[in-house]
Amino acid sequence: MIFENISIASGNGAVASSLLLIFAIGAAAQWLGWRLKVPAILLLLAGGFLAGPVFQVLHIDEVFGELLFPIVSGAVAIILFEGGLTLRFHELKGKAGAVIFRLVSVGVLVSWLVIAWLAHMVLGFPLLLAALLGALLTVTGPTVIGPMLRTIRPKGKVRSIAKWEGILIDPVGVVLAVLIFEVFLAGQVAEAPMLHMLVGAVKTLVIGVVFTGIAGGLVLLLVKRRMLPDYLQNTVVLALLLLAFGASNYLQEESGLVTATLFGIFLANQSIFEVRHIVEFKENLQILLISFLFVVLAARVEPEAVSLLGWQSAVFLIGVIVLARPMAVMISTAFSNLKWSERSLLMMLAPRGIVAVALTSVFVLKLDQIGVPQAQEFLALTLLVVVGTVVFYGLLAAPVATRLGLSNLDPQGVIFVGAHDWSIKLASALHDANVPVLMLDSNRMNIDRARKAGLLGEVGNVFADEFIHELDFSNMGHALALTANDEVNAFARSALSHSLERADTYHLVATKQDNPQGGKRRRMNPLFAEGATFRYFQNAFINGAKVRMAVIDEGSGMDSIRPAKDAHPIPLFCIEPDGTVQIFSAKTEIKPKPGATIIYLETSALPPAPQKETNPPMKNA
């Protein structure tokens, strides 16, 4: 073996170099996934498989040894905790809640039974092992559904149903899989009575609830008594999570995964303190852990296990796609008011992701220990289903959604944060040019004025996660934060960039910054024009500025804009003949095509030019 007869020092070096390689592959796969617009999960699995069984650069079991199981199990617990943090029960109101509830109850049951039947009949798995595989493959999860929804941007009820199914199905699937696993382990004991199996399942749930109450209660107590400052909340919550996870596992094997999920759900639904910063921290940590897990788990797959995947495995995968999901959707949406097109699209939104792979890895490590012969084939099958469903749904869901009239793959609508008088005028000009517009403001009177102008408006606070989650982004591709408050503008841009590309979100500086620090002005790309601030626009409209339109003539370019005498044009938006919307900024050059429409501000006074930075004269010592 490669690591035989090596010193402790060289062994530590092997661990360090392996970790560096794992994280390098993970980072590269995530970046390439973003750059190539393909699911990073596929590149992570490919990278791990190439580094492991193909080129044999990574020898996971030899490097990590007995630490592999607790590392993987702890990483899975953190991922499940983050998933629980996104589940807020009050947000389900008005979101086709009955259909969502049936999908994560009856739908999960149908998927489990169909997949278990396929595993038993097609693959020849024993009943208990087939039931375990079926439970593991019921979960989809927000980590794979979220990117698909951002790409497809489905209209109507499908978006909220698919989103909340992905969030809710994680804890439901985890609990089901852990309980089936407990039953499977109990079934390995000679002549184990059914009562023993049921006691194990109940014990798992009770331990999860008890340790969730202890950990969650302690967090709330510390916060209420002001004994936990904000900057320590992430650290303390993570420590309590791992303590509760470890204690649960000590009392009952794998019950810690249920505890982690319930702990996240508990914190998400309490009202004592805001968990937004914890969610953001865990989201960043989740990306790191997902990259690590996928590379490690793919690198552990044995070539012999892959060779066992014959035509039966392909038939099993096809059955999961064409039988399990359609049956679950049809039964769950029966007697609902969903259109057939919406039901069809829901059938195309069931890719498996990190939770299925991570839970499988935890269980396979245990199955290996107790000598279950199908353990490695079990992991290879899960990876096959993950890759197969991600490729199938990832490639076909968007075209199907477009064909059904439920998706706009390149939306060009513009969201305006701040519905004051002059932003309504800018939005109205876009609306007149047939560009979808959505106005957001916490002031109902402002939104009422926008609606009277014929614009779509929503009353809400961009600082509230539930308000952002409620918005329909199916026709929106750009966002402008135009309030008088720099902090609100910056936060709005950050919040909306979770649903829109960050490059398509902009915010207006409220007032001129006379003393930019460290040459910050040179690095900024001011919206619309250099020196164009909220105060400038406000004063410009008070002094009679108008929003105008001009069509670009052949060969004239921007000279087609002809303002009135003694007036100056400030280009704001460019609407190309194909409907593409571009937004002008100080340092971005836009070359409109002939026939494009330019929306510009006709004003008597241009924004003030930035002052040149000069070094103050040095004083004599």
Side-chain angles (χ1 to χ4, degrees):
M1 304 295 288
I2 191 172
F3 290 107
E4 285 181 354
N5 302 319
I6 55 177
S7 65
I8 294 177
S10 60
N12 291 338
V15 173
S17 60
S18 296
L19 284 173
L20 288 174
L21 180 58
I22 290 168
F23 287 119
I25 293 173
Q30 292 282 3
W31 182 83
L32 281 173
W34 166 80
R35 186 71 179 176
L36 301 176
K37 304 298 183 185
V38 298
I41 184 175
L42 300 178
L43 300 177
L44 289 167
L45 290 174
F49 191 74
L50 290 174
V54 176
F55 295 112
Q56 298 186 5
V57 179
L58 286 175
H59 300 266
I60 300 300
D61 290 337
E62 297 174 3
V63 171
F64 293 100
E66 294 182 356
L67 289 176
L68 180 61
F69 182 84
I71 289 174
V72 171
S73 188
V76 174
I78 295 173
I79 291 171
L80 295 177
F81 171 72
E82 195 277 334
L85 279 174
T86 62
L87 176 56
R88 297 175 178 86
F89 294 122
H90 70 274
E91 295 180 11
L92 291 175
K93 297 177 181 178
K95 290 180 166 40
V99 172
I100 297 171
F101 176 77
R102 289 199 294 268
L103 278 171
V104 299
S105 55
V106 178
V108 168
L109 180 62
V110 172
S111 296
W112 172 44
L113 293 176
V114 172
I115 296 172
W117 177 80
L118 288 169
H120 179 63
M121 299 299 295
V122 177
L123 303 175
F125 278 14
L127 282 175
L128 277 177
L129 196 62
L132 179 59
L133 181 61
L136 287 167
L137 294 180
T138 59
V139 294
T140 55
T143 57
V144 282
I145 288 293
M148 285 188 66
L149 294 179
R150 289 186 63 176
T151 300
I152 300 172
R153 298 176 185 268
K155 300 177 182 178
K157 298 177 181 179
V158 174
R159 181 182 68 90
S160 59
I161 291 174
K163 171 190 166 185
W164 286 104
E165 181 197 6
I167 293 174
L168 286 164
I169 209 168
D170 259 2
V172 172
V174 167
V175 171
L176 176 63
V178 171
L179 294 182
I180 297 298
F181 188 63
E182 292 295 333
V183 172
F184 178 83
L185 292 180
Q188 301 302 303
V189 182
E191 298 181 359
M194 180 61 68
L195 180 62
H196 177 71
M197 302 181 195
L198 294 176
V199 168
V202 172
K203 189 178 178 182
T204 298
L205 285 175
V206 171
I207 288 173
V209 172
V210 169
F211 278 103
T212 293
I214 293 173
L218 184 57
V219 172
L220 297 186
L221 179 64
L222 291 174
V223 172
K224 287 179 69 175
R225 297 195 174 186
R226 299 185 178 180
M227 298 175 63
L228 186 59
D230 288 348
Y231 78 96
L232 284 179
Q233 285 182 5
N234 285 329
T235 302
V236 172
V237 168
L238 180 60
L240 285 173
L241 165 65
L242 295 177
L243 283 172
F245 166 74
S248 298
N249 280 346
Y250 178 78
L251 295 177
Q252 179 76 6
E253 285 187 304
E254 306 318 319
S255 63
L257 299 177
V258 176
T259 302
T261 305
L262 295 178
F263 187 29
I265 295 173
F266 175 85
L267 290 183
N269 291 279
Q270 53 78 36
S271 57
I272 303 299
F273 72 105
E274 179 59 59
V275 297
R276 183 186 297 114
H277 56 291
I278 297 178
V279 173
E280 291 174 353
F281 169 71
K282 294 300 184 295
E283 284 176 346
N284 295 330
L285 185 60
Q286 183 201 59
I287 294 175
L288 181 67
L289 294 177
I290 286 175
S291 302
F292 173 81
L293 283 177
F294 269 116
V295 174
V296 166
L297 300 179
R300 282 193 76 248
V301 177
E302 297 179 0
E304 294 80 8
V306 177
S307 65
L308 294 175
L309 300 179
W311 64 267
Q312 295 93 337
S313 302
V315 172
F316 174 75
L317 173 61
I318 294 172
V320 170
I321 294 173
V322 304
L323 287 180
R325 180 60 178 180
M327 288 179 65
V329 171
M330 290 301 296
I331 293 175
S332 300
T333 59
F335 307 109
S336 71
N337 59 357
L338 286 183
K339 301 176 183 177
W340 281 104
S341 59
E342 294 173 322
R343 300 183 193 192
S344 300
L345 183 55
L346 281 174
M347 295 178 191
M348 299 296 297
L349 296 173
R352 273 57 173 184
I354 183 60
V355 175
V357 176
L359 276 177
T360 301
S361 67
V362 172
F363 294 162
V364 164
L365 291 171
K366 187 65 177 179
L367 295 176
D368 272 334
Q369 292 176 3
I370 63 178
V372 176
Q374 299 96 339
Q376 283 301 317
E377 184 183 358
F378 201 78
L379 178 58
L381 270 169
T382 303
L383 293 176
L384 173 67
V385 172
V386 168
V387 172
T389 54
V390 168
V391 170
F392 179 82
Y393 296 122
L395 292 177
L396 296 181
V400 168
T402 304
R403 185 70 178 268
L404 294 172
L406 295 175
S407 174
N408 183 1
L409 298 183
D410 189 24
Q412 294 298 320
V414 181
I415 296 175
F416 285 77
V417 180
H420 41 75
D421 290 338
W422 64 262
S423 68
I424 290 176
K425 293 179 180 178
L426 267 57
S428 296
L430 281 172
H431 179 72
D432 292 342
N434 297 318
V435 176
V437 171
L438 174 63
M439 307 291 292
L440 307 180
D441 202 300
S442 58
N443 189 317
R444 182 171 295 277
M445 292 180 63
N446 288 348
I447 293 298
D448 287 342
R449 282 198 294 268
R451 289 171 177 169
K452 288 179 181 178
L455 306 175
L456 182 65
E458 295 289 346
V459 181
N461 190 337
V462 293
F463 285 90
D465 288 339
E466 57 270 22
F467 174 65
I468 298 297
H469 292 157
E470 288 271 1
L471 298 177
D472 183 0
F473 290 92
S474 58
N475 288 322
M476 298 297 138
H478 313 272
L480 304 178
L482 305 178
T483 77
N485 187 307
D486 279 327
E487 292 183 1
V488 172
N489 289 345
F491 184 86
R493 182 185 183 193
S494 176
L496 292 170
S497 65
H498 290 289
S499 300
L500 304 173
E501 292 292 337
R502 186 166 182 82
D504 294 320
T505 59
Y506 308 83
H507 74 271
L508 190 68
V509 177
T511 58
K512 181 182 176 182
Q513 299 177 359
D514 293 325
N515 296 308
Q517 297 178 354
K520 184 177 179 181
R521 177 185 289 144
R522 289 195 299 270
R523 298 192 296 271
M524 292 178 63
N525 187 9
L527 178 62
F528 298 137
E530 188 76 54
T533 64
F534 179 92
R535 184 168 296 177
Y536 165 77
F537 274 98
Q538 189 177 47
N539 292 333
F541 278 97
I542 290 175
N543 293 323
K546 303 291 184 183
V547 180
R548 305 290 193 191
M549 290 188 189
V551 177
I552 298 300
D553 299 328
E554 184 76 38
S556 297
M558 295 296 287
D559 291 336
S560 301
I561 301 177
R562 300 179 181 88
K565 186 178 180 181
D566 298 327
H568 306 280
I570 298 179
L572 306 174
F573 307 100
C574 173
I575 306 167
E576 298 288 358
D578 63 358
T580 301
V581 175
Q582 299 183 77
I583 300 173
F584 284 90
S585 58
K587 299 179 181 178
T588 301
E589 184 179 1
I590 295 177
K591 295 181 178 179
K593 299 176 182 177
T597 299
I598 302 297
I599 297 176
Y600 65 96
L601 183 71
E602 186 180 79
T603 177
S604 59
L606 289 171
Q611 297 179 355
K612 293 184 179 180
E613 297 178 24
T614 57
N615 296 322
M618 297 183 63
K619 297 182 180 179
N620 293 329

